[in-house]
Amino acid sequence: MHLHKYEKIWLTFGIGSLVLFLAVLGVAAFAFGQQPPSHMASVDSQNLEDTVFAEPGLDQINEDTYRARLVAMTYGYSPDTIEIPAGSTVIFEVTSQDVVHSFTIPGTNVNMMITPGHVNMTEHTFTEPGEYLVICNEYCGTGHHYMQMKIEVTP
């Protein structure tokens, strides 16, 4: 089979690009330790009352760190308000009891897709006092636009 000069150039370019892409992906995944943000934790979404999510809320871990265990459900979050002091770091552990939801705090880098059966985790340090709104960006039904919660950061 005879390949034209330009075909050889394009094949070399295409295969070279593929090898470069896979090398960059491999270095990012293994050398830099990038992994999914969920930390691969799971929970039985049909039996949340038998898990740590039976009583969602805010726990103080140390002087400046809190853990917020939250449950996303159709048209709301439980609890619907948490209060923390300014300068505190909050570790969010969020799961869904029914369908896919989102956990987004506008103006911050907190944005997670919440899926049933998985525990999604992220953390954020709230440096400015004020009221932060948590919204859902995944359409979850006819009352989706009511789905929100508040984080009150006190001075």
Side-chain angles (χ1 to χ4, degrees), residues 49-83:
E49 62 274 357
D50 297 333
T51 68
V52 295
F53 292 97
E55 296 179 24
L58 190 67
D59 300 321
Q60 188 168 4
I61 297 173
N62 61 36
E63 187 177 323
D64 294 329
T65 308
Y66 294 82
R67 176 186 299 117
R69 285 197 175 109
L70 308 168
V71 177
M73 64 198 82
T74 305
Y75 318 138
Y77 296 95
S78 178
D80 61 353
T81 303
I82 60 173
E83 185 176 324

Short mmCIF file of all heavy atoms in Angstrom, two decimals, residues 49-83:
data_model
loop_
_atom_site.label_atom_id
_atom_site.label_comp_id
_atom_site.label_asym_id
_atom_site.label_seq_id
_atom_site.Cartn_x
_atom_site.Cartn_y
_atom_site.Cartn_z
N GLU A 49 -31.10 7.14 57.18
CA GLU A 49 -31.30 7.17 58.62
C GLU A 49 -30.36 6.21 59.36
O GLU A 49 -30.21 6.31 60.58
CB GLU A 49 -32.77 6.87 58.99
CG GLU A 49 -33.26 5.50 58.57
CD GLU A 49 -33.78 5.44 57.14
OE1 GLU A 49 -33.84 6.47 56.45
OE2 GLU A 49 -34.12 4.32 56.70
N ASP A 50 -29.71 5.30 58.64
CA ASP A 50 -28.76 4.37 59.25
C ASP A 50 -27.31 4.82 59.06
O ASP A 50 -26.39 4.04 59.29
CB ASP A 50 -28.92 2.96 58.63
CG ASP A 50 -30.30 2.38 58.91
OD1 ASP A 50 -30.91 2.76 59.93
OD2 ASP A 50 -30.76 1.56 58.10
N THR A 51 -27.10 6.06 58.63
CA THR A 51 -25.76 6.55 58.35
C THR A 51 -25.47 7.82 59.15
O THR A 51 -26.31 8.27 59.94
CB THR A 51 -25.61 6.87 56.84
OG1 THR A 51 -26.43 8.00 56.53
CG2 THR A 51 -26.00 5.69 55.97
N VAL A 52 -24.31 8.41 58.92
CA VAL A 52 -23.96 9.67 59.59
C VAL A 52 -24.84 10.82 59.10
O VAL A 52 -24.87 11.88 59.72
CB VAL A 52 -22.47 10.04 59.37
CG1 VAL A 52 -21.57 9.02 60.03
CG2 VAL A 52 -22.15 10.17 57.90
N PHE A 53 -25.57 10.61 58.02
CA PHE A 53 -26.47 11.63 57.49
C PHE A 53 -27.86 11.58 58.12
O PHE A 53 -28.76 12.29 57.70
CB PHE A 53 -26.57 11.52 55.97
CG PHE A 53 -25.29 11.87 55.28
CD1 PHE A 53 -24.40 10.90 54.89
CD2 PHE A 53 -24.98 13.20 55.04
CE1 PHE A 53 -23.21 11.24 54.27
CE2 PHE A 53 -23.79 13.55 54.42
CZ PHE A 53 -22.90 12.56 54.04
N ALA A 54 -28.04 10.72 59.14
CA ALA A 54 -29.33 10.65 59.82
C ALA A 54 -29.66 11.97 60.50
O ALA A 54 -30.82 12.36 60.58
CB ALA A 54 -29.32 9.51 60.83
N GLU A 55 -28.64 12.65 61.01
CA GLU A 55 -28.82 13.96 61.65
C GLU A 55 -27.89 14.96 60.97
O GLU A 55 -26.81 15.25 61.48
CB GLU A 55 -28.53 13.87 63.14
CG GLU A 55 -29.49 12.98 63.88
CD GLU A 55 -29.17 12.90 65.36
OE1 GLU A 55 -28.54 13.84 65.89
OE2 GLU A 55 -29.56 11.91 65.98
N PRO A 56 -28.27 15.47 59.81
CA PRO A 56 -27.40 16.42 59.11
C PRO A 56 -27.24 17.70 59.92
O PRO A 56 -28.13 18.10 60.66
CB PRO A 56 -28.11 16.68 57.79
CG PRO A 56 -29.50 16.23 57.99
CD PRO A 56 -29.51 15.25 59.10
N GLY A 57 -26.08 18.30 59.79
CA GLY A 57 -25.83 19.55 60.52
C GLY A 57 -24.37 19.91 60.51
O GLY A 57 -23.57 19.39 59.73
N LEU A 58 -24.01 20.79 61.42
CA LEU A 58 -22.66 21.35 61.50
C LEU A 58 -21.99 20.86 62.78
O LEU A 58 -22.55 20.97 63.86
CB LEU A 58 -22.76 22.88 61.49
CG LEU A 58 -21.48 23.67 61.32
CD1 LEU A 58 -20.89 23.45 59.94
CD2 LEU A 58 -21.75 25.15 61.56
N ASP A 59 -20.79 20.31 62.65
CA ASP A 59 -19.99 19.87 63.79
C ASP A 59 -18.68 20.63 63.79
O ASP A 59 -18.05 20.80 62.74
CB ASP A 59 -19.67 18.37 63.69
CG ASP A 59 -20.92 17.51 63.66
OD1 ASP A 59 -21.87 17.84 64.38
OD2 ASP A 59 -20.92 16.51 62.91
N GLN A 60 -18.23 21.05 64.97
CA GLN A 60 -16.95 21.73 65.08
C GLN A 60 -15.86 20.69 65.27
O GLN A 60 -15.90 19.89 66.20
CB GLN A 60 -16.96 22.73 66.24
CG GLN A 60 -15.73 23.59 66.27
CD GLN A 60 -15.86 24.76 67.23
OE1 GLN A 60 -16.85 24.90 67.94
NE2 GLN A 60 -14.85 25.60 67.26
N ILE A 61 -14.85 20.71 64.39
CA ILE A 61 -13.75 19.76 64.46
C ILE A 61 -12.64 20.30 65.36
O ILE A 61 -12.13 19.61 66.22
CB ILE A 61 -13.21 19.45 63.05
CG1 ILE A 61 -14.30 18.78 62.22
CG2 ILE A 61 -11.97 18.58 63.13
CD1 ILE A 61 -13.94 18.57 60.77
N ASN A 62 -12.26 21.55 65.12
CA ASN A 62 -11.31 22.24 66.00
C ASN A 62 -11.67 23.72 66.01
O ASN A 62 -12.75 24.09 65.58
CB ASN A 62 -9.85 21.98 65.59
CG ASN A 62 -9.53 22.45 64.19
OD1 ASN A 62 -10.03 23.48 63.75
ND2 ASN A 62 -8.70 21.71 63.48
N GLU A 63 -10.78 24.55 66.49
CA GLU A 63 -11.10 25.97 66.69
C GLU A 63 -11.61 26.67 65.44
O GLU A 63 -12.54 27.47 65.50
CB GLU A 63 -9.87 26.70 67.23
CG GLU A 63 -10.13 28.13 67.63
CD GLU A 63 -8.90 28.79 68.22
OE1 GLU A 63 -8.15 28.12 68.95
OE2 GLU A 63 -8.70 29.97 67.93
N ASP A 64 -11.00 26.38 64.28
CA ASP A 64 -11.35 27.09 63.05
C ASP A 64 -11.90 26.20 61.95
O ASP A 64 -12.04 26.64 60.82
CB ASP A 64 -10.11 27.83 62.51
CG ASP A 64 -9.65 28.94 63.43
OD1 ASP A 64 -10.51 29.53 64.10
OD2 ASP A 64 -8.44 29.20 63.46
N THR A 65 -12.20 24.95 62.25
CA THR A 65 -12.65 24.02 61.22
C THR A 65 -13.97 23.38 61.63
O THR A 65 -14.13 22.93 62.76
CB THR A 65 -11.59 22.93 60.97
OG1 THR A 65 -10.34 23.54 60.71
CG2 THR A 65 -11.98 22.07 59.78
N TYR A 66 -14.89 23.34 60.67
CA TYR A 66 -16.20 22.75 60.90
C TYR A 66 -16.48 21.72 59.81
O TYR A 66 -15.97 21.83 58.69
CB TYR A 66 -17.30 23.82 60.84
CG TYR A 66 -17.21 24.82 61.96
CD1 TYR A 66 -16.35 25.90 61.90
CD2 TYR A 66 -18.01 24.70 63.10
CE1 TYR A 66 -16.27 26.83 62.93
CE2 TYR A 66 -17.95 25.61 64.13
CZ TYR A 66 -17.07 26.67 64.04
OH TYR A 66 -17.00 27.58 65.05
N ARG A 67 -17.32 20.73 60.13
CA ARG A 67 -17.77 19.76 59.14
C ARG A 67 -19.28 19.96 58.99
O ARG A 67 -20.02 19.88 59.96
CB ARG A 67 -17.50 18.33 59.58
CG ARG A 67 -18.08 17.30 58.59
CD ARG A 67 -17.96 15.87 59.06
NE ARG A 67 -16.59 15.49 59.25
CZ ARG A 67 -16.06 15.14 60.43
NH1 ARG A 67 -16.81 15.14 61.51
NH2 ARG A 67 -14.80 14.80 60.53
N ALA A 68 -19.71 20.18 57.76
CA ALA A 68 -21.14 20.32 57.47
C ALA A 68 -21.59 19.08 56.72
O ALA A 68 -21.17 18.86 55.58
CB ALA A 68 -21.40 21.57 56.64
N ARG A 69 -22.39 18.26 57.37
CA ARG A 69 -22.99 17.10 56.70
C ARG A 69 -24.38 17.51 56.25
O ARG A 69 -25.24 17.84 57.06
CB ARG A 69 -23.07 15.92 57.66
CG ARG A 69 -21.73 15.27 57.87
CD ARG A 69 -21.87 13.89 58.47
NE ARG A 69 -20.59 13.24 58.56
CZ ARG A 69 -19.95 13.02 59.70
NH1 ARG A 69 -20.49 13.37 60.84
NH2 ARG A 69 -18.78 12.44 59.69
N LEU A 70 -24.58 17.49 54.94
CA LEU A 70 -25.82 18.00 54.35
C LEU A 70 -26.46 16.94 53.46
O LEU A 70 -25.76 16.15 52.82
CB LEU A 70 -25.54 19.25 53.53
CG LEU A 70 -24.76 20.37 54.25
CD1 LEU A 70 -24.30 21.41 53.26
CD2 LEU A 70 -25.60 20.98 55.33
N VAL A 71 -27.78 16.97 53.41
CA VAL A 71 -28.53 16.07 52.53
C VAL A 71 -29.32 16.93 51.55
O VAL A 71 -30.09 17.80 51.95
CB VAL A 71 -29.49 15.17 53.34
CG1 VAL A 71 -30.32 14.30 52.39
CG2 VAL A 71 -28.72 14.30 54.31
N ALA A 72 -29.09 16.68 50.26
CA ALA A 72 -29.88 17.34 49.22
C ALA A 72 -31.08 16.45 48.91
O ALA A 72 -30.95 15.24 48.82
CB ALA A 72 -29.04 17.55 47.97
N MET A 73 -32.23 17.09 48.83
CA MET A 73 -33.45 16.34 48.52
C MET A 73 -34.28 17.19 47.57
O MET A 73 -33.96 18.35 47.34
CB MET A 73 -34.22 16.03 49.80
CG MET A 73 -34.73 17.26 50.52
SD MET A 73 -35.16 16.96 52.21
CE MET A 73 -33.56 17.06 52.96
N THR A 74 -35.33 16.62 47.05
CA THR A 74 -36.16 17.35 46.11
C THR A 74 -36.60 18.66 46.73
O THR A 74 -37.30 18.67 47.75
CB THR A 74 -37.36 16.50 45.69
OG1 THR A 74 -36.87 15.27 45.16
CG2 THR A 74 -38.17 17.20 44.62
N TYR A 75 -36.15 19.75 46.13
CA TYR A 75 -36.53 21.13 46.45
C TYR A 75 -35.97 21.66 47.77
O TYR A 75 -36.52 22.59 48.34
CB TYR A 75 -38.04 21.33 46.41
CG TYR A 75 -38.69 20.64 45.24
CD1 TYR A 75 -39.88 19.96 45.39
CD2 TYR A 75 -38.10 20.65 43.98
CE1 TYR A 75 -40.47 19.31 44.32
CE2 TYR A 75 -38.68 20.00 42.91
CZ TYR A 75 -39.87 19.33 43.09
OH TYR A 75 -40.45 18.69 42.02
N GLY A 76 -34.87 21.10 48.27
CA GLY A 76 -34.27 21.67 49.47
C GLY A 76 -33.04 20.94 49.94
O GLY A 76 -32.66 19.89 49.41
N TYR A 77 -32.41 21.53 50.93
CA TYR A 77 -31.26 20.94 51.60
C TYR A 77 -31.60 20.80 53.08
O TYR A 77 -32.37 21.58 53.63
CB TYR A 77 -30.02 21.83 51.49
CG TYR A 77 -29.51 22.02 50.08
CD1 TYR A 77 -29.89 23.13 49.33
CD2 TYR A 77 -28.64 21.12 49.51
CE1 TYR A 77 -29.42 23.32 48.06
CE2 TYR A 77 -28.16 21.30 48.23
CZ TYR A 77 -28.55 22.41 47.50
OH TYR A 77 -28.09 22.60 46.24
N SER A 78 -31.02 19.82 53.72
CA SER A 78 -31.19 19.67 55.16
C SER A 78 -29.82 19.69 55.81
O SER A 78 -28.97 18.88 55.43
CB SER A 78 -31.90 18.36 55.48
OG SER A 78 -32.02 18.19 56.87
N PRO A 79 -29.58 20.60 56.75
CA PRO A 79 -30.43 21.70 57.21
C PRO A 79 -30.47 22.82 56.18
O PRO A 79 -29.63 22.87 55.29
CB PRO A 79 -29.74 22.16 58.49
CG PRO A 79 -28.30 21.83 58.29
CD PRO A 79 -28.29 20.58 57.47
N ASP A 80 -31.44 23.72 56.34
CA ASP A 80 -31.58 24.79 55.35
C ASP A 80 -30.78 26.04 55.70
O ASP A 80 -30.69 26.96 54.89
CB ASP A 80 -33.04 25.13 55.11
CG ASP A 80 -33.74 25.63 56.36
OD1 ASP A 80 -33.13 25.59 57.44
OD2 ASP A 80 -34.89 26.06 56.24
N THR A 81 -30.17 26.08 56.90
CA THR A 81 -29.33 27.20 57.30
C THR A 81 -28.23 26.68 58.22
O THR A 81 -28.50 25.87 59.10
CB THR A 81 -30.15 28.27 58.06
OG1 THR A 81 -31.22 28.70 57.24
CG2 THR A 81 -29.30 29.46 58.42
N ILE A 82 -27.01 27.16 58.00
CA ILE A 82 -25.93 26.91 58.95
C ILE A 82 -25.25 28.23 59.26
O ILE A 82 -25.25 29.15 58.44
CB ILE A 82 -24.90 25.86 58.45
CG1 ILE A 82 -24.24 26.29 57.14
CG2 ILE A 82 -25.53 24.49 58.30
CD1 ILE A 82 -23.12 25.37 56.70
N GLU A 83 -24.69 28.32 60.45
CA GLU A 83 -24.05 29.56 60.88
C GLU A 83 -22.64 29.25 61.36
O GLU A 83 -22.44 28.35 62.17
CB GLU A 83 -24.86 30.19 62.01
CG GLU A 83 -24.33 31.54 62.45
CD GLU A 83 -25.21 32.18 63.51
OE1 GLU A 83 -26.44 32.02 63.44
OE2 GLU A 83 -24.64 32.84 64.40
#
